[in-house]
Structure formats: C-alpha cells, structure tokens
Amino acid sequence: MMLEKGLEEKTFYLNLGPQHPSTHGVLRIVLEMDGEFIVTADPVIGYGHRAHEKMAELRTYQQYLPNMGRVDYLHALAYNQCYCMAVEKLAGIVVPERAEFIRVITSELNRISSHLLWFGAYLLDLGAFTPFLYCFDDREQILDLLDRLTGSRLTYCFYRFGGVPVDLDDDFIAGCRAFIQRLRSRWDDYDNLVTKNVIFIHRTRDVGILPPDLALRYGVTGPTLRGSGIPYDIRKSEPFSVYPLFDFEIPTGERGDVMDRYLVRLREMEQSLRIIEQALDKLPAGPIMAEKVPKRLKPPEGEVYIAVETARGEFGIYLVSKGDVKPYRVKLRVPCFSNLSVLPELIKDTMVADAVAILGSIDLVIPEIDR
Amino acid sequence: MPAQTVIEKLTPLVGPEKAALVDYAATGCHVRVEAQPEQMPAVAAAMLAQKFFLESLTALDLLESFEVVYHFASYDELCRTVVHVPLPVGTEVPTLSTIYPGADWFEREVFEMFGIIFSGHPNLKNLILPDDADFHPLLKDFVASS
Amino acid sequence: MEKKTGEPLIQLAVLEDVLNLCRANSLWPLTFGLACCAIEMMAAGAARFDLDRFGAGVFRPSARQADLMIVAGTISKKMGPAVQRLYDQMPAPKWVIAMGNCAISGGPFMYEGQYAIVPGADQIIPVDVYVPGCPPRPEGLIEGILQLEEKITNRPRLRKYR
C-alpha cells in the first residue's frame, strides 16, 4: 500500500487489562504498538492492593496468620510456613519432627495444585479448553484431601507457631497414596494432549527467551529462572524444614523459552509426588505441636530473613521485632514482583499473541505483587 | 568461602569494621554490612560483579530516622548479605536501577510507602498506590482519613 | 401469579415471564475475578461443579456481551472506577452477585484505618445477591446463582421444598 505524502506512521497505545481474561488477576499493561508488534510495555500494578504490610504492624503475630493465606492463595501453605518459620526463629520455638513432615506433605500437595491450576489457566489463555477441565479434576482430588485436614479449600491458615493443630489420620494417608498413583497415570494424558500438540509447540518454542544474566539483574526466581538453566531452588540451595531428608531433583530447562518453563513446572509436579511419597514412608510418630508456646507471643528484639520456595519462586519474609506483641515491620519479598519486572524486556518486539503466551508462562498471581 | 570474599570486596568501599559475619542460624543472613547512602552504587556494583542478585529492598521507619535495608543473595552458593543504610529524615539515596534494573520497582515502592527519594531514578512515581495518592502509608504516624 | 395494579395498555405479562425465564436460565457472567474468590469461581465453572448445567457457564470477557457481573474479590480504591465503568458498559437487564466477604463488606481486610479498599461492592454498584464466604465454596456460588434465578423469574425453583 502506498503511503500518501503527509501521512506518517505512528504508534498507538493498547491497554491489556485490568479486566482481561489472560491477565490472571487485575494487571494492566500499557502496550505501545506498532501494528501487531509491541514497541514498549509498561505494567501498571496496584489494582489488588490490600495493605498487607500495614496490617502486619497493627495485628499481633497470631492475628496476622490468616493474611498469609491471602497473599498468594494458590500456594497458601508455603506462605503460612514461611511466616511461621520466621516467628519461630525469632522466638526460639522448635517444631517437632512429625509436624515438619506434615507441613512438607501438605505444602507439596498445595504446590501440585498450584501448578495444575497454572497449567489449566495457561492453556485457557492460549485457547485450549480441555486441559482446563482435566487439571481442575485432578486439583479437586487434592482439595478434597486438604479440605478434610485443614477445613479450607483455598486460603489455608493451617500452621501454627510450633507445629500444626490437626494430625493426619489413616484416611488422609491412604487418600494421599491413591492420589499419587492416580496423578502419575495422568502424565501421559497431559503429554499427549498438550506437550506433543503441534500448535502448542509452535506457540511456545523459542518464544520469550530469558537470558540468565538478565534474570540475575532482575532477581528472577522460581520455575521462570529454572527454565533458563539455573538450578536455584531454596529447597536445595538453602534447605529448610525437613527437605534435606528427601531425595528429589531440580528440573531445569536449556533455552529459557516458554516451552522450557512449561516443562520445568510439569516435571516439578512429579518431583513433588516423590517428596510426598518419601515423606509418607518416613513419617515419624510424635507430637505435632511444640510445648510451651506462649499465648501472647512476644519474640525478643531482633530481625530475621527467612526464604522458602513456593510454586512461583522465592518468597522471603523480613521480620523486625522490637519485643512487642505486634511486629514492627514485615516485608514480604514476593517472587512475582521481581518476575513481572522482567516482562517489559521479554515482550519487546513481539506480537501481542506471543506477549500473552510469555505473560502466562511467568505464572503470576497479582494480589501477591500488590500485597 | 563466599562470605569472606564478600567482606573482603566490600570493606574497602564501606570502611573497616562495617562488614562482618553474623549468625546465620539466628538471623538468616551470613554477612551484615553498614553503609552510607553515597556508597551504595559502588557496593551494588561489587555485589553484581560477584554474581549476587538483589533479593529485597525495603525501608524501616525508626521514628526519628529511616533505614534502607538491602538483601543480596547468590544463585550459586548460599551467602545472604544484608546492607543497612541509616538515613536521616530528608536525605536522598542514590538509585541502584542503573546497576540492578530490578531495583527500579523496589525503589518506587519504597518511595510511595515511606516518602524516601532515590536520586537519579528514571521514573520515581507511585507504583502500587493510585497515581494521585499523596500519602505514605507505611510511616508509623500515618492515619487514614475515612 | 399476582395481578399487577395499573395494568399497561398492551398486556405483555406473559411475554415478560417467558423472557425472564429465558434470561434466568442463560445468564452469561463477565470474567471478573479480582482476587482469591476468582479461583473458586473458576472451580464452579470447571468439571466437578459445572455451572454450565444451569446455563451460566458461558463466561464472556467483554462487558458488552455479559449480563451478570460476579464481583469475585476485593475491590481496591484503584480498581473502583474500572468496576463502575464495566458495570456501565453492560447492557440492561443486568445483575450483580457480590461473591465473597470482600465484595460484601471489605472482608478480612477491613480494619480501622484501611486506606486501600472499597468496603463492599454495593458502595459503587447495585448488588442483587450476596454470597458470603472467604472464599465461598463453589456450591455457595451456585446457590447464589440459583437465588438470582429465583429473583429474576419471581418464582421459587423447587416449589414443593419451599
């Protein structure tokens, strides 16, 4: 088409969100477009701000526990665990071994359910509806188990300072083992339905490559980082709880594209199954709650930084106490905050359809970014 | 030992006795550094050269002054380094976003929550709060009007 | 059926009833998940709880094609104008379900001095059905949709159990 004299080509702005089916929450990305290609991208966050960090200063340590389940509701148990560990370290509470095993089993089940949800929602973004139904079915099996034990399906508040309040019973253990067998038999289904699908391969191979040194400069963690080949997983690099007792691998990718991040998460689910199996085999007898945990918890003055590996990356809590019943400062270092900050670099000069594929592959939960 | 290397690299930049080992079992960190605001870009460049990533950047409101707290960690070998920068009220801190682009958002968040200004920041405006919000919620004397 | 007073010139009562029955049994929700409750809304639409058998499983991303807004999650002050705009963009007749404690009254985030959230969806848009819970179970959301159907058609769904 010939351009007439006097007409100039200009870029235009397109809003992706805050209400959009593929933004996984309320994220808004202001895209500067040159036709179908993205020139710059500017994420606008804060549509889910609920003042978690301010609430921490106005609540006692126990009263703040339910908040942790709502920061990232998909892997809520890991966030519970990190906060409990931070307070236990400050207050000098030692958790009995059986309670640590129960924490690991439930947290790994939660990790699998988070990855399953990501799997279904991501393929829904790409336009496929059937995997969503398959993985939600598997996810409901996990939710049944955790619902029997904890009472909640989604925003768990199960751990207490010093242990867990409810013990596993035989039905839970039998249900867990049956679930492990059932999910293992589904990997072939997922592979045939999705991984070997030629449309999926075309949309994800060599798309959104994250170079390792860029990841370092932005502080990316989690499967987003491991897809680029760096085996950084807090469960192995800075072991916490009883993870050193288990034998599992850290899957990594090679090229750092969307397909690698997808495969990392798929393989991580299998590794989580291995951890749960070993934990059930080695489950020790004993108490589930530490003795003499004071009702009005007043940890001594000090500060502590604890990190755990959640489904999205490294979650860290920086907790400062001045010896009061309420924390002085709680800083929540959430993985998606750093992971999202690298997105503008990744989607520069791509098409909008690829941008949606890349955005989904980072696995974001927006309320945790906004806290 | 990575902690010793960190101390060796940072002591020329922050001064003697300002970078020291701390008890990991009690605090979760291996090295604790006290720095002045103007030393931060050099400290950050040194940490990046040793392949550390910026784990967290936050601030504390200590009523009469502020303290900016940086955490650095490494993908390769565990060595968490915490850097405390005491800050009298009204002082500015140089930005780290030219060295660690990931610090860009962290600094914007500290700015809107505490009012601390990061000099040299390319885009220091509200990140999480609405654009027209002119209050700093994480200050200890902040009281919301209904 | 009750007799209406001041009856209009053209008797459309039966037609209105039929239209209301059609509207109630094919509610098209807007994909409007804000926070945690969105996941339970997705679970309600998935295989086990299956909103589709009530005709309400067709989630539309565009507000212009939806007639039911399920406010699932906390409305922050930054998001408030967007919620209002989306509600205005929906064509009439339209309904709103406030799902979860945050959409009803601010939920667990409501405290003295909360600066960041709108304490309830009914502060900015008219709400028809409230579904409490944090988050409500998918069965709860389905009950909310069935209550809305009863509100639209003005007749109970299962007569002999009422």
Side-chain angles (χ1 to χ4, degrees):
Chain A
M1 204 178 91
M2 297 259 288
L3 272 180
E4 295 167 15
K5 268 195 215 166
L7 279 182
E8 39 173 288
E9 280 187 18
K10 282 201 292 193
T11 55
F12 68 95
Y13 285 92
L14 183 70
N15 256 328
L16 193 68
Q19 188 265 342
H20 188 275
S22 336
T23 51
H24 302 286
V26 277
L27 170 68
R28 174 174 163 221
I29 310 183
V30 181
L31 298 169
E32 188 185 352
M33 310 285 300
D34 174 19
E36 186 78 22
F37 288 88
I38 297 173
V39 177
T40 62
D42 181 25
V44 178
I45 59 176
Y47 290 98
H49 182 52
R50 303 188 277 192
H52 278 282
E53 292 186 4
K54 186 72 183 176
M55 276 177 89
E57 298 172 14
L58 304 169
R59 295 259 184 285
T60 67
Y61 288 93
Q62 282 97 332
Q63 284 174 333
Y64 193 58
L65 268 170
N67 277 52
M68 300 316 294
R70 274 113 187 130
V71 175
D72 173 8
Y73 35 87
L74 291 177
H75 198 180
L77 286 170
Y79 287 65
N80 271 304
Q81 187 175 21
C82 189
Y83 179 64
C84 287
M85 280 164 58
V87 176
E88 283 155 7
K89 183 162 271 205
L90 261 186
I93 303 172
V94 177
V95 179
E97 215 190 351
R98 187 177 171 93
E100 292 279 21
F101 270 76
I102 296 176
R103 283 185 179 180
V104 166
I105 293 172
T106 46
S107 182
E108 291 297 320
L109 277 174
N110 206 182
R111 185 191 309 270
I112 299 174
S113 84
S114 168
H115 279 326
L116 280 171
L117 187 130
W118 167 82
F119 179 78
Y122 182 56
L123 282 151
L124 206 59
D125 287 351
L126 296 182
F129 193 69
T130 313
F132 174 75
L133 297 172
Y134 271 66
C135 73
F136 258 77
D137 183 30
D138 289 327
R139 194 167 170 267
E140 292 288 340
Q141 312 286 327
I142 301 181
L143 261 45
D144 280 343
L145 288 170
L146 288 172
D147 192 5
R148 289 189 74 240
L149 183 67
T150 68
S152 350
R153 280 169 51 100
L154 189 70
T155 47
Y156 305 103
C157 179
F158 182 50
Y159 306 146
R160 305 281 180 267
F161 303 131
V164 295
V166 177
D167 203 349
L168 306 182
D169 58 355
D170 295 325
D171 282 340
F172 179 90
I173 296 176
C176 235
R177 291 198 193 273
F179 167 73
I180 295 174
Q181 301 310 318
R182 183 179 189 273
L183 191 59
R184 283 220 169 107
S185 68
R186 302 274 265 190
W187 295 142
D188 284 334
D189 281 338
Y190 290 145
D191 274 336
N192 289 333
L193 190 61
V194 182
T195 320
K196 297 181 187 167
N197 186 311
V198 74
I199 302 178
F200 182 74
I201 295 175
H202 273 282
R203 284 203 70 172
T204 56
R205 257 284 165 243
D206 294 326
V207 169
I209 296 186
L210 176 66
D213 53 276
L214 193 69
L216 180 74
R217 283 171 191 270
Y218 279 89
V220 177
T221 53
T224 316
L225 173 72
R226 293 197 280 277
S228 302
I230 301 180
Y232 178 63
D233 186 322
I234 308 270
R235 295 175 291 174
K236 286 268 196 210
S237 311
E238 191 181 349
F240 56 97
S241 188
V242 287
Y243 281 103
L245 299 175
F246 306 125
D247 174 38
F248 61 99
E249 289 162 13
I250 306 295
T252 54
E254 288 149 9
R255 283 184 259 193
D257 57 8
V258 167
M259 173 66 111
D260 275 344
R261 298 196 269 273
Y262 161 85
L263 288 172
V264 162
R265 290 193 181 97
L266 217 56
R267 295 197 192 115
E268 262 183 24
M269 286 199 268
E270 172 59 40
Q271 296 304 314
S272 287
L273 286 177
R274 279 179 68 183
I275 297 176
I276 299 173
E277 239 178 357
Q278 291 169 53
L280 288 173
D281 290 335
K282 296 183 188 170
L283 188 65
I288 51 170
M289 200 63 186
E291 292 175 4
K292 297 205 182 68
V293 176
K295 280 226 154 54
R296 269 172 73 83
L297 197 63
K298 266 195 187 183
E301 198 168 323
E303 60 180 46
V304 72
Y305 186 98
I306 300 279
V308 299
E309 182 75 21
T310 70
R312 275 153 202 90
E314 175 194 327
F315 173 63
I317 290 194
Y318 174 58
L319 182 62
V320 178
S321 153
K322 298 278 187 203
D324 196 15
V325 280
K326 302 182 184 173
Y328 191 78
R329 171 96 175 94
V330 172
K331 156 78 181 167
L332 306 169
R333 187 268 175 208
V334 289
C336 290
F337 190 82
S338 308
N339 291 2
L340 178 60
S341 62
V342 79
L343 183 77
E345 297 277 336
L346 288 180
I347 62 176
K348 218 184 277 196
D349 300 327
T350 61
M351 292 191 277
V352 175
D354 285 339
V356 167
I358 299 169
L359 176 65
S361 76
I362 302 182
D363 193 3
L364 298 169
V365 167
I366 306 302
E368 96 169 347
I369 303 181
D370 295 336
R371 277 157 290 142
Chain B
M1 211 185 107
Q4 272 311 113
T5 328
V6 169
I7 297 179
E8 276 165 32
K9 289 268 175 359
L10 292 185
T11 308
L13 302 168
V14 295
E17 310 289 326
K18 296 285 186 185
L21 294 171
V22 281
D23 184 11
Y24 172 73
T27 63
C29 301
H30 295 86
V31 178
R32 188 186 196 279
V33 179
E34 226 181 83
Q36 295 305 309
E38 57 275 1
Q39 297 163 341
M40 270 324 290
V43 169
M47 296 307 283
L48 182 63
Q50 295 174 78
K51 300 269 193 242
F52 276 70
F53 69 95
L54 181 64
E55 206 171 25
S56 156
L57 203 175
T58 184
L60 298 173
D61 179 5
L62 298 171
L63 299 169
E64 274 116 34
S65 64
F66 289 115
E67 198 169 282
V68 185
V69 183
Y70 303 78
H71 285 88
F72 294 92
S74 166
Y75 292 144
D76 307 310
E77 234 184 294
L78 179 62
C79 176
R80 183 166 292 119
T81 307
V82 59
V83 182
H84 286 257
V85 176
L87 204 63
V89 179
T91 327
E92 294 184 2
V93 188
T95 183
L96 295 188
S97 49
T98 43
I99 305 159
Y100 281 107
D104 185 320
W105 279 19
F106 279 118
E107 288 171 353
R108 278 172 74 180
E109 191 195 338
V110 169
F111 162 69
E112 70 181 345
M113 291 290 167
F114 290 93
I116 296 175
I117 301 202
F118 289 86
S119 55
H121 194 283
N123 190 18
L124 199 66
K125 56 181 182 79
N126 282 358
L127 181 70
I128 294 177
L129 296 175
D131 285 332
D132 54 357
D134 56 357
F135 51 90
H136 302 294
L138 278 177
L139 292 174
K140 287 290 174 185
D141 53 10
F142 169 75
V143 175
S145 52
S146 48
Chain C
M1 286 185 286
E2 291 172 40
K3 216 166 158 58
K4 291 192 214 167
T5 52
E7 292 173 19
L9 186 62
I10 303 173
Q11 287 288 8
L12 289 176
V14 175
L15 184 60
E16 276 293 324
D17 282 342
V18 170
L19 278 175
N20 282 336
L21 203 62
C22 296
R23 287 171 185 144
N25 284 313
S26 70
L27 290 163
W28 284 15
L30 175 68
T31 57
F32 197 46
L34 294 166
C36 340
C37 281
I39 307 295
E40 291 296 63
M41 187 168 67
M42 285 161 71
R48 181 185 277 194
F49 299 103
D50 197 16
L51 269 180
D52 229 338
R53 54 195 160 126
F54 305 105
V58 189
F59 282 84
R60 308 305 299 158
S62 165
R64 307 227 183 253
Q65 300 170 1
D67 53 8
L68 169 66
M69 177 192 262
I70 304 181
V71 182
T74 329
I75 304 181
S76 70
K77 286 222 168 92
K78 201 168 179 179
M79 191 67 192
V83 175
Q84 225 160 356
R85 182 185 282 192
L86 282 166
Y87 181 75
D88 292 337
Q89 283 181 340
M90 286 164 68
K94 52 190 170 182
W95 298 275
V96 175
I97 292 183
M99 177 184 178
N101 292 349
C102 289
I104 295 177
S105 66
F109 298 100
M110 202 50 219
Y111 67 91
E112 183 80 32
Q114 171 65 273
Y115 60 89
I117 67 169
V118 176
D122 53 11
Q123 306 268 326
I124 44 180
I125 51 179
V127 173
D128 294 288
V129 175
Y130 298 86
V131 181
C134 189
R137 287 188 65 105
E139 293 101 320
L141 177 63
I142 293 176
E143 171 70 16
I145 292 183
L146 294 180
Q147 294 270 350
L148 182 64
E149 287 184 15
E150 289 184 11
K151 182 175 181 177
I152 297 172
T153 56
N154 211 16
R155 52 210 315 227
R157 209 166 199 273
L158 294 169
R159 259 181 222 276
K160 63 178 181 169
Y161 295 114
R162 296 287 164 182

